[in-house]
Amino acid sequence: MAQPMLPRFAPPRSFYADLKARTTAYFEQTNQTPTGGFAIWLKAIVLISAFVFFYTHLVFWRPESNLLALAECLLLGCSIAAIGFNVMHDGSHGSFSNSKALNGFAAFTLNVMGGSSFMWNAKHNVVHHTYTNIDGHDDDIDIRPFMRMTPEQPKHPLHKYQHFYFWFLYSMLYIAWIFVMDYQKYFTKKIGDLPYKPMTTTDHVVFWGFKAINLVLYVGLPIYFAGFLPWLVGFIVTTTFAGLITSLVFQLAHTVEHTAFPTPHAVTNKLEDEWAIHQVKTTANFATDNRIISWLVGGLNFQVEHHLFPKISHVHYPAISKILREVCEEYNVPYIAFPKMRYAVASHVSFLRQMGRA
């Protein structure tokens, strides 16, 4: 079967070169490195410690009251999402540390939490960061047939209500991710329609080894020590909360009003913009002045900065944001940002309504 033709971006101009030059100058003037440094190490210690505490307390010690157990399940789900945002995500992009080994360790936390770091790298780092919001290539906007996320996707009668039921689907992300989507990618050897690089023997062993370990950690041990029903309730609460948080943060970055969904030319397969401008037009920020949200989501509310500089740690995004805004204004490139997270959520709901009814 012939591989799909990849979209081609317009030749790069001075926008990205100017932006990189000013960003490089910022690091030179402030005598900082692009990686996370002490701030991200401290955050990693706090979040991983929280995960270990809530897991061990729920499984081996068992809270005295059901209400406390449910609260800890929610906090465990929150810690899973936060580790993904802050530790795994930076590690997978190589921005957690100057050390390749430490970046690998940070990225590897995904395997411990149930996912596959190999599949994440292929899906997120390679495909999503290159072909953002391009239907048929960006797997993040392919929720068919349950939801319609781009104007090019077919519309079904059920989509008219997707701005109501998306909460449920987003909650199912984590369960679907670890039990369905990773295996789907493994056996089809594709991310969406695009094949990924062949897996090595080590990749296969890590994939299956950690899938087995995860069944022991998150199914076997909890059932053995706490019982089937407490495990089932706790597992559902933990995974649905983690799935909802993770889905919402990533969807607010690209599927809101005003973000673009470019379509390659039908004959030449060329796109109108160069890669950097394409990233700015297809991405949005939210609540960048809220330090609590920024800390919890690992700077993913600075999504525009992240897409342009994925190898720079999120701890630097507030400073880089000021530079990027200036450059966008000078080059007349739209910079999409919602001052509050609730505004971004409202825009996402409105976007889903438009996609379901258009």
Side-chain angles (χ1 to χ4, degrees):
M1 183 180 295
Q3 295 184 8
M5 185 182 298
L6 297 176
R8 293 186 294 167
F9 294 98
R13 299 177 182 176
S14 54
F15 171 80
Y16 195 41
D18 193 1
L19 178 61
K20 287 195 295 183
R22 298 190 199 187
T23 303
T24 300
Y26 161 77
F27 283 107
E28 292 175 349
Q29 292 166 6
T30 58
N31 196 29
Q32 298 183 82
T33 61
T35 52
F38 176 77
I40 201 169
W41 273 102
L42 178 61
K43 186 185 291 192
I45 292 171
V46 170
L47 294 175
I48 292 175
S49 298
F51 170 82
V52 172
F53 171 78
F54 291 124
Y55 174 84
T56 55
H57 193 254
L58 283 165
V59 174
F60 302 114
W61 300 345
R62 296 188 298 282
E64 295 180 359
S65 71
N66 292 333
L67 188 61
L68 179 59
L70 288 174
E72 289 191 9
C73 287
L74 289 173
L75 291 171
L76 179 61
C78 184
S79 66
I80 289 173
I83 290 171
F85 294 148
N86 292 276
V87 183
M88 182 278 291
H89 190 243
D90 272 32
S92 69
H93 282 294
S95 63
F96 184 84
S97 167
N98 287 321
S99 166
K100 184 177 180 180
L102 290 177
N103 282 323
F105 173 80
F108 207 79
T109 56
L110 179 59
N111 296 291
V112 178
M113 294 186 293
S116 167
S117 57
F118 179 92
M119 296 303 171
W120 173 261
N121 178 69
K123 164 190 167 65
H124 181 77
N125 295 10
V126 178
V127 177
H128 171 69
H129 269 265
T130 305
Y131 305 111
T132 312
N133 276 14
I134 300 178
D135 185 46
H137 295 84
D138 186 356
D139 190 59
D140 282 10
I141 56 173
D142 187 1
I143 317 179
R144 294 174 291 179
F146 307 106
M147 297 183 69
R148 181 175 187 253
M149 305 298 285
T150 78
E152 288 72 38
Q153 293 176 356
K155 184 171 72 70
H156 303 299
L158 185 64
H159 294 157
K160 184 167 65 174
Y161 308 102
Q162 66 180 10
H163 59 291
F164 293 119
Y165 63 73
F166 78 94
W167 299 101
F168 172 77
L169 288 182
Y170 287 4
S171 297
M172 293 296 103
L173 168 71
Y174 194 73
I175 295 176
W177 184 349
I178 61 180
F179 288 123
V180 179
M181 293 189 291
D182 274 347
Y183 294 106
Q184 183 183 47
K185 293 176 176 61
Y186 181 89
F187 288 111
T188 62
K189 300 180 181 180
K190 291 181 179 181
I191 305 296
D193 295 330
L194 301 178
Y196 54 76
K197 69 175 183 179
M199 300 176 72
T200 65
T201 301
T202 301
D203 293 329
H204 287 290
V205 171
V206 169
F207 181 89
W208 287 109
F210 272 89
K211 287 299 183 183
I213 290 172
N214 291 324
L215 287 176
V216 174
L217 286 176
Y218 305 122
V219 180
L221 288 178
I223 291 177
Y224 179 79
F225 284 100
F228 178 79
L229 186 58
W231 162 77
L232 181 62
V233 174
F235 184 78
I236 291 174
V237 170
T238 299
T239 55
T240 54
F241 193 57
L244 177 61
I245 296 172
T246 303
S247 293
L248 203 56
V249 168
F250 280 105
Q251 292 297 348
L252 293 185
H254 300 289
T255 53
V256 291
E257 296 169 300
H258 312 305
T259 51
F261 293 84
T263 302
H265 190 276
V267 178
T268 64
N269 216 39
K270 290 183 178 181
L271 291 159
E272 180 181 350
D273 294 311
E274 62 174 286
W275 173 83
I277 293 179
H278 172 92
Q279 297 303 318
V280 177
K281 289 183 176 181
T282 57
T283 310
N285 289 352
F286 63 90
T288 54
D289 291 331
N290 190 315
R291 294 187 178 183
I292 295 176
I293 290 178
S294 296
W295 194 91
L296 288 173
V297 305
L300 290 177
N301 52 334
F302 289 89
Q303 192 75 198
V304 183
E305 288 73 18
H306 170 63
H307 266 253
L308 290 170
F309 298 105
K311 292 189 177 299
I312 294 178
S313 175
H314 69 266
V315 301
H316 300 294
Y317 290 161
I320 294 175
S321 176
K322 298 176 183 178
I323 300 172
L324 177 56
R325 283 177 179 269
E326 292 177 355
V327 176
C328 285
E329 185 174 352
E330 292 175 15
Y331 284 84
N332 197 29
V333 176
Y335 181 94
I336 307 168
F338 297 91
K340 306 287 185 181
M341 185 172 182
R342 64 178 181 271
Y343 298 163
V345 173
S347 183
H348 180 60
V349 172
S350 179
F351 168 81
L352 292 177
R353 183 189 296 112
Q354 294 173 25
M355 290 295 101
R357 296 181 178 181

